[in-house]
Short mmCIF file of all heavy atoms in Angstrom, two decimals:
data_model
loop_
_atom_site.label_atom_id
_atom_site.label_comp_id
_atom_site.label_asym_id
_atom_site.label_seq_id
_atom_site.Cartn_x
_atom_site.Cartn_y
_atom_site.Cartn_z
N ALA V 34 125.62 107.76 163.23
CA ALA V 34 125.23 106.78 162.21
C ALA V 34 124.42 107.49 161.06
O ALA V 34 124.61 107.17 159.92
CB ALA V 34 124.43 105.65 162.81
N MET V 35 123.54 108.40 161.46
CA MET V 35 122.78 109.13 160.45
C MET V 35 123.67 109.97 159.54
O MET V 35 123.51 109.99 158.34
CB MET V 35 121.69 109.96 161.12
CG MET V 35 120.57 109.17 161.70
SD MET V 35 119.16 110.14 162.24
CE MET V 35 119.83 111.04 163.65
N ARG V 36 124.62 110.67 160.16
CA ARG V 36 125.58 111.47 159.39
C ARG V 36 126.42 110.59 158.46
O ARG V 36 126.63 110.93 157.29
CB ARG V 36 126.48 112.26 160.30
CG ARG V 36 125.82 113.51 160.89
CD ARG V 36 126.85 114.45 161.57
NE ARG V 36 127.78 113.71 162.47
CZ ARG V 36 127.54 113.50 163.80
NH1 ARG V 36 126.44 113.96 164.34
NH2 ARG V 36 128.44 112.87 164.51
N LEU V 37 126.87 109.45 158.97
CA LEU V 37 127.72 108.55 158.15
C LEU V 37 126.88 108.00 156.99
O LEU V 37 127.36 107.88 155.85
CB LEU V 37 128.28 107.43 158.99
CG LEU V 37 129.17 106.46 158.24
CD1 LEU V 37 130.33 107.13 157.54
CD2 LEU V 37 129.72 105.38 159.22
N ARG V 38 125.63 107.63 157.26
CA ARG V 38 124.79 107.07 156.14
C ARG V 38 124.64 108.12 155.03
O ARG V 38 124.78 107.81 153.87
CB ARG V 38 123.43 106.70 156.70
CG ARG V 38 122.49 106.12 155.61
CD ARG V 38 121.19 105.69 156.11
NE ARG V 38 120.50 106.82 156.73
CZ ARG V 38 119.35 106.74 157.39
NH1 ARG V 38 118.78 105.60 157.55
NH2 ARG V 38 118.80 107.80 157.88
N LYS V 39 124.41 109.36 155.40
CA LYS V 39 124.27 110.43 154.39
C LYS V 39 125.59 110.64 153.67
O LYS V 39 125.64 110.77 152.45
CB LYS V 39 123.84 111.75 155.09
CG LYS V 39 123.69 112.88 154.08
CD LYS V 39 123.13 114.11 154.68
CE LYS V 39 122.98 115.30 153.74
NZ LYS V 39 123.30 115.18 152.41
N ARG V 40 126.68 110.59 154.38
CA ARG V 40 128.01 110.76 153.77
C ARG V 40 128.30 109.66 152.81
O ARG V 40 128.82 109.93 151.70
CB ARG V 40 129.05 110.80 154.92
CG ARG V 40 130.43 111.19 154.54
CD ARG V 40 131.26 111.27 155.80
NE ARG V 40 132.64 111.38 155.54
CZ ARG V 40 133.61 111.11 156.40
NH1 ARG V 40 133.29 110.72 157.62
NH2 ARG V 40 134.89 111.24 156.07
N ILE V 41 128.03 108.42 153.13
CA ILE V 41 128.23 107.30 152.25
C ILE V 41 127.44 107.47 150.98
O ILE V 41 127.93 107.32 149.89
CB ILE V 41 127.92 105.96 152.96
CG1 ILE V 41 128.88 105.66 154.08
CG2 ILE V 41 127.88 104.82 151.95
CD1 ILE V 41 128.44 104.51 154.98
N LYS V 42 126.14 107.81 151.14
CA LYS V 42 125.26 107.98 149.97
C LYS V 42 125.76 109.11 149.08
O LYS V 42 125.78 108.95 147.86
CB LYS V 42 123.84 108.23 150.40
CG LYS V 42 123.12 107.00 150.94
CD LYS V 42 121.69 107.33 151.33
CE LYS V 42 120.96 106.11 151.86
NZ LYS V 42 119.57 106.37 152.20
N ASP V 43 126.16 110.20 149.70
CA ASP V 43 126.62 111.36 148.91
C ASP V 43 127.87 110.98 148.11
O ASP V 43 128.00 111.29 146.92
CB ASP V 43 126.94 112.56 149.82
CG ASP V 43 125.71 113.22 150.35
OD1 ASP V 43 124.58 112.93 149.91
OD2 ASP V 43 125.84 114.07 151.25
N VAL V 44 128.84 110.37 148.77
CA VAL V 44 130.08 110.03 148.09
C VAL V 44 129.83 109.03 146.97
O VAL V 44 130.37 109.19 145.88
CB VAL V 44 131.14 109.49 149.10
CG1 VAL V 44 132.34 108.87 148.40
CG2 VAL V 44 131.59 110.62 150.02
N GLU V 45 129.06 108.00 147.21
CA GLU V 45 128.74 107.00 146.17
C GLU V 45 128.05 107.69 145.00
O GLU V 45 128.37 107.39 143.83
CB GLU V 45 127.89 105.90 146.74
CG GLU V 45 128.65 104.83 147.44
CD GLU V 45 129.63 104.13 146.48
OE1 GLU V 45 129.18 103.48 145.52
OE2 GLU V 45 130.81 104.24 146.74
N ARG V 46 127.08 108.57 145.25
CA ARG V 46 126.40 109.27 144.17
C ARG V 46 127.34 110.13 143.34
O ARG V 46 127.36 110.06 142.13
CB ARG V 46 125.25 110.10 144.74
CG ARG V 46 124.50 110.92 143.71
CD ARG V 46 123.43 111.82 144.36
NE ARG V 46 123.96 112.67 145.40
CZ ARG V 46 124.62 113.83 145.23
NH1 ARG V 46 124.90 114.24 144.01
NH2 ARG V 46 125.01 114.52 146.27
N LEU V 47 128.15 110.89 144.06
CA LEU V 47 129.11 111.78 143.36
C LEU V 47 130.15 111.01 142.58
O LEU V 47 130.47 111.38 141.46
CB LEU V 47 129.77 112.72 144.37
CG LEU V 47 128.86 113.77 144.95
CD1 LEU V 47 129.50 114.42 146.21
CD2 LEU V 47 128.51 114.84 143.93
N LYS V 48 130.66 109.93 143.15
CA LYS V 48 131.61 109.09 142.43
C LYS V 48 131.01 108.49 141.19
O LYS V 48 131.62 108.53 140.09
CB LYS V 48 132.10 107.97 143.37
CG LYS V 48 133.20 107.13 142.73
CD LYS V 48 133.67 106.07 143.74
CE LYS V 48 132.72 104.92 143.65
NZ LYS V 48 133.14 103.67 144.17
N GLU V 49 129.79 107.99 141.30
CA GLU V 49 129.11 107.43 140.11
C GLU V 49 128.88 108.46 139.08
O GLU V 49 129.01 108.26 137.88
CB GLU V 49 127.82 106.72 140.53
CG GLU V 49 127.14 106.02 139.43
CD GLU V 49 127.99 104.98 138.68
OE1 GLU V 49 128.86 104.37 139.33
OE2 GLU V 49 127.82 104.82 137.45
N GLU V 50 128.40 109.67 139.47
CA GLU V 50 128.17 110.73 138.54
C GLU V 50 129.47 111.15 137.86
O GLU V 50 129.47 111.42 136.63
CB GLU V 50 127.56 111.96 139.23
CG GLU V 50 126.08 111.75 139.65
CD GLU V 50 125.52 112.92 140.45
OE1 GLU V 50 126.25 113.96 140.65
OE2 GLU V 50 124.37 112.78 140.90
N GLY V 51 130.55 111.18 138.61
CA GLY V 51 131.87 111.48 138.00
C GLY V 51 132.26 110.39 137.00
O GLY V 51 132.78 110.72 135.93
N ASN V 52 132.05 109.15 137.34
CA ASN V 52 132.38 108.08 136.43
C ASN V 52 131.59 108.13 135.12
O ASN V 52 132.14 107.96 134.03
CB ASN V 52 132.20 106.71 137.08
CG ASN V 52 133.19 106.43 138.23
OD1 ASN V 52 134.21 107.07 138.31
ND2 ASN V 52 132.86 105.46 139.05
N VAL V 53 130.29 108.43 135.25
CA VAL V 53 129.46 108.52 134.05
C VAL V 53 129.91 109.72 133.22
O VAL V 53 130.00 109.59 131.98
CB VAL V 53 127.95 108.68 134.49
CG1 VAL V 53 127.09 109.06 133.29
CG2 VAL V 53 127.45 107.36 135.10
N ALA V 54 130.17 110.84 133.85
CA ALA V 54 130.63 112.01 133.11
C ALA V 54 131.95 111.72 132.42
O ALA V 54 132.14 112.10 131.24
CB ALA V 54 130.77 113.18 134.06
N PHE V 55 132.84 111.00 133.05
CA PHE V 55 134.16 110.68 132.46
C PHE V 55 133.93 109.81 131.24
O PHE V 55 134.50 110.05 130.16
CB PHE V 55 135.06 109.96 133.48
CG PHE V 55 136.39 109.62 132.93
CD1 PHE V 55 137.41 110.50 132.97
CD2 PHE V 55 136.62 108.36 132.41
CE1 PHE V 55 138.69 110.21 132.46
CE2 PHE V 55 137.90 108.02 131.92
CZ PHE V 55 138.86 108.93 131.94
N LYS V 56 133.10 108.78 131.37
CA LYS V 56 132.84 107.84 130.27
C LYS V 56 132.18 108.50 129.09
O LYS V 56 132.33 108.05 127.92
CB LYS V 56 132.01 106.65 130.75
CG LYS V 56 132.77 105.73 131.67
CD LYS V 56 131.88 104.65 132.26
CE LYS V 56 132.61 103.83 133.28
NZ LYS V 56 131.74 102.88 133.98
N THR V 57 131.38 109.53 129.33
CA THR V 57 130.70 110.24 128.26
C THR V 57 131.45 111.44 127.73
O THR V 57 130.99 112.21 126.93
CB THR V 57 129.26 110.68 128.69
OG1 THR V 57 129.37 111.55 129.83
CG2 THR V 57 128.41 109.50 129.01
N GLY V 58 132.70 111.59 128.20
CA GLY V 58 133.57 112.65 127.70
C GLY V 58 133.31 114.04 128.30
O GLY V 58 133.89 115.00 127.82
N LYS V 59 132.52 114.11 129.37
CA LYS V 59 132.30 115.40 130.06
C LYS V 59 133.32 115.52 131.15
O LYS V 59 133.02 115.39 132.33
CB LYS V 59 130.84 115.41 130.57
CG LYS V 59 129.80 115.33 129.50
CD LYS V 59 128.42 115.29 130.07
CE LYS V 59 127.39 115.11 128.99
NZ LYS V 59 126.08 114.87 129.51
N LEU V 60 134.52 115.79 130.73
CA LEU V 60 135.67 115.75 131.67
C LEU V 60 135.63 116.79 132.76
O LEU V 60 136.00 116.54 133.90
CB LEU V 60 136.97 115.79 130.88
CG LEU V 60 137.18 114.67 129.87
CD1 LEU V 60 138.46 114.88 129.11
CD2 LEU V 60 137.15 113.33 130.56
N LEU V 61 135.21 118.02 132.41
CA LEU V 61 135.08 119.05 133.45
C LEU V 61 134.07 118.69 134.52
O LEU V 61 134.33 118.87 135.73
CB LEU V 61 134.74 120.41 132.82
CG LEU V 61 135.85 121.10 132.02
CD1 LEU V 61 135.30 122.34 131.34
CD2 LEU V 61 137.05 121.43 132.93
N ASP V 62 132.96 118.14 134.07
CA ASP V 62 131.93 117.69 135.03
C ASP V 62 132.46 116.57 135.89
O ASP V 62 132.24 116.53 137.10
CB ASP V 62 130.67 117.23 134.28
CG ASP V 62 129.88 118.36 133.68
OD1 ASP V 62 130.08 119.50 134.07
OD2 ASP V 62 129.04 118.05 132.81
N ALA V 63 133.21 115.65 135.28
CA ALA V 63 133.78 114.53 136.02
C ALA V 63 134.73 115.01 137.10
O ALA V 63 134.67 114.60 138.27
CB ALA V 63 134.51 113.57 135.09
N ALA V 64 135.62 115.93 136.74
CA ALA V 64 136.56 116.50 137.70
C ALA V 64 135.82 117.19 138.84
O ALA V 64 136.24 117.06 140.01
CB ALA V 64 137.55 117.46 137.00
N ASP V 65 134.78 117.90 138.55
CA ASP V 65 134.01 118.61 139.57
C ASP V 65 133.33 117.59 140.51
O ASP V 65 133.30 117.78 141.73
CB ASP V 65 132.94 119.48 138.95
CG ASP V 65 133.51 120.72 138.29
OD1 ASP V 65 134.69 121.06 138.56
OD2 ASP V 65 132.81 121.33 137.47
N LYS V 66 132.76 116.52 139.95
CA LYS V 66 132.11 115.53 140.79
C LYS V 66 133.09 114.79 141.71
O LYS V 66 132.79 114.57 142.88
CB LYS V 66 131.34 114.48 139.93
CG LYS V 66 130.17 115.07 139.15
CD LYS V 66 129.13 115.65 140.12
CE LYS V 66 127.99 116.24 139.32
NZ LYS V 66 126.99 116.84 140.18
N TYR V 67 134.27 114.46 141.13
CA TYR V 67 135.31 113.85 141.97
C TYR V 67 135.76 114.79 143.05
O TYR V 67 135.97 114.37 144.23
CB TYR V 67 136.50 113.40 141.13
CG TYR V 67 136.19 112.30 140.15
CD1 TYR V 67 136.73 112.29 138.89
CD2 TYR V 67 135.38 111.22 140.50
CE1 TYR V 67 136.47 111.28 137.97
CE2 TYR V 67 135.09 110.20 139.59
CZ TYR V 67 135.67 110.23 138.33
OH TYR V 67 135.39 109.26 137.44
#
Side-chain angles (χ1 to χ4, degrees):
M35 288 190 292
R36 282 192 311 270
L37 181 56
R38 180 178 59 186
K39 180 174 178 2
R40 190 174 169 200
I41 293 169
K42 286 181 180 183
D43 287 349
V44 169
E45 276 298 297
R46 177 183 53 80
L47 290 165
K48 184 179 83 163
E49 184 56 33
E50 288 175 4
N52 290 345
V53 168
F55 181 84
K56 290 175 186 173
T57 59
K59 299 176 182 172
L60 300 177
L61 289 174
D62 289 342
D65 289 343
K66 294 298 179 182
Y67 294 140

